[in-house]
């Protein structure tokens, strides 16, 4: 069993990279990828655990993109965190995130929610601040009843206080990832848009833009959706990747490897990803 998607305190998870590596070992995972949002900051500490754990630790990232006017996440697996061009591109994303976060505070204040930058920053364990921390801050401030309520009323993808991150296209994300030695994967396509969105054409388009895999195994999927994405990956010749998207305490009930209990990403996916890096096809 492997898990190719999780988050640490360097984005919006609650576990340190060291804790994630130890949890992976305890769960008996053959491999774990750390895929924090738009940052490589946790990877050095994560990879430094490698001699101590038998789980293969895979460097990754989850890039926030825009596609068809919506948020689309693209995972980069096996990216080289020491690649200078990639680091510069990610630094640009980080600056844009800081700017975006300031704009979101202004939007909330304009809506009559007197929340401050300090209140939001206080809830983030590192200087990487995401909407997850905004959601917590809005609850603490008394403006929302729960994080879900905060997303629904204020900061969700359709919310009035949401400001998107920079307009990174999936094509550019795929190029950045390839040039950093990694494999690009469309993250949780089932969470994109409404559930009835038909992916055939859009995924073929993304493949033509350079995306090499899609998350076919994901905790939120029902049996039909799981089968649908496995078949889509098969038909298009894309890697059927997958992972728990574990965020620690920010997503209660989700565990590394097994998700909510029934997730199982086959070990063979790892070999397919490594094959792609060597220039093989799926
Ligand atoms: P950001 O990268 O700062 O725009 O924040 C995106 C993160 O917020 C996602 O990775 C999720 O962890 C979380 N998120 C986005 N929308 C929702 C939602 N509707 N409910 C719960 N969490 C969400
Ligand atoms: Mn997240
Ligand atoms: Mn995501
Ligand atoms: Mn994620």
């Amino acid at each position: 069993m492997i898990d190719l998607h999780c988050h640490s305190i360097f984005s919006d998870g609650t576990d340190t990279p060291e804790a994630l590596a130890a949890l992976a070992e305890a769960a008996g995972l053959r491999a774990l990828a750390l895929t924090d949002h738009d940052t490589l900051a946790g990877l050095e500490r994560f990879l430094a655990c490698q001699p101590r754990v038998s789980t293969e630790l895979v460097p990754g990232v989850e890039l926030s993109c825009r596609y068809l006017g919506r948020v689309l996440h693209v995972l980069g697996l096996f990216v080289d965190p020491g690649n200078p061009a990639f680091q510069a591109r990610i630094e640009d994303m980080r600056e844009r995130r800081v700017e975006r976060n300031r704009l979101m505070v202004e939007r909330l204040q304009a809506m009559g929610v007197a929340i401050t930058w300090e209140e939001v920053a206080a809830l983030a364990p590192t200087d990487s601040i995401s909407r997850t921390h905004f959601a917590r801050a809005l609850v603490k401030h008394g403006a929302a009843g729960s994080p879900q309520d905060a997303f629904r009323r204020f900061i969700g993808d359709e919310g009035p206080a949401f400001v998107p991150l920079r307009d990174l296209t999936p094509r550019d994300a795929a190029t950045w990832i390839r040039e950093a030695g990694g494999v690009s994967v469309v993250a949780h396509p089932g969470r994109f848009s409404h559930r009835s969105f038909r992916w055939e054409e859009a995924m073929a388009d993304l493949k033509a833009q350079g995306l090499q895999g899609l998350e076919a195994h994901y905790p939120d999927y029902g049996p039909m959706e799981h089968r649908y994405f496995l078949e889509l990956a098969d038909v298009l010749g894309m890697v059927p990747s997958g992972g728990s998207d574990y965020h620690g305490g920010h997503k209660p009930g989700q565990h590394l490897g097994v998700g909510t209990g029934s997730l199982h990403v086959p070990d063979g996916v790892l070999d397919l990803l490594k094959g792609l890096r060597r220039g093989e096809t799926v």
Side-chain angles (χ1 to χ4, degrees), residues 1 5 8 16 45 58 86 96 109 121 135-136 146 154 212 222 247 259-261 272:
M1 186 166 61
H5 189 162
S8 79
T16 61
R45 277 173 56 176
V58 177
F86 194 49
R96 170 61 195 157
Q109 289 173 347
R136 305 266 143 176
S146 65
F154 299 110
Q212 298 163 289
H247 282 66
T260 48
L272 288 175

Side-chain angles (χ1 to χ4, degrees), residues 5 7 37 62 245 247:
H5 189 162
H7 298 272
H37 297 284
E62 182 171 18
D245 206 359
H247 282 66

Side-chain angles (χ1 to χ4, degrees), residues 5 7 11-13 37 62 73 130 132 191 245 247 251:
H5 189 162
H7 298 272
S11 63
D12 55 351
H37 297 284
E62 182 171 18
H73 288 170
S130 89
T132 305
R191 248 175 58 189
D245 206 359
H247 282 66
K251 264 196 186 179

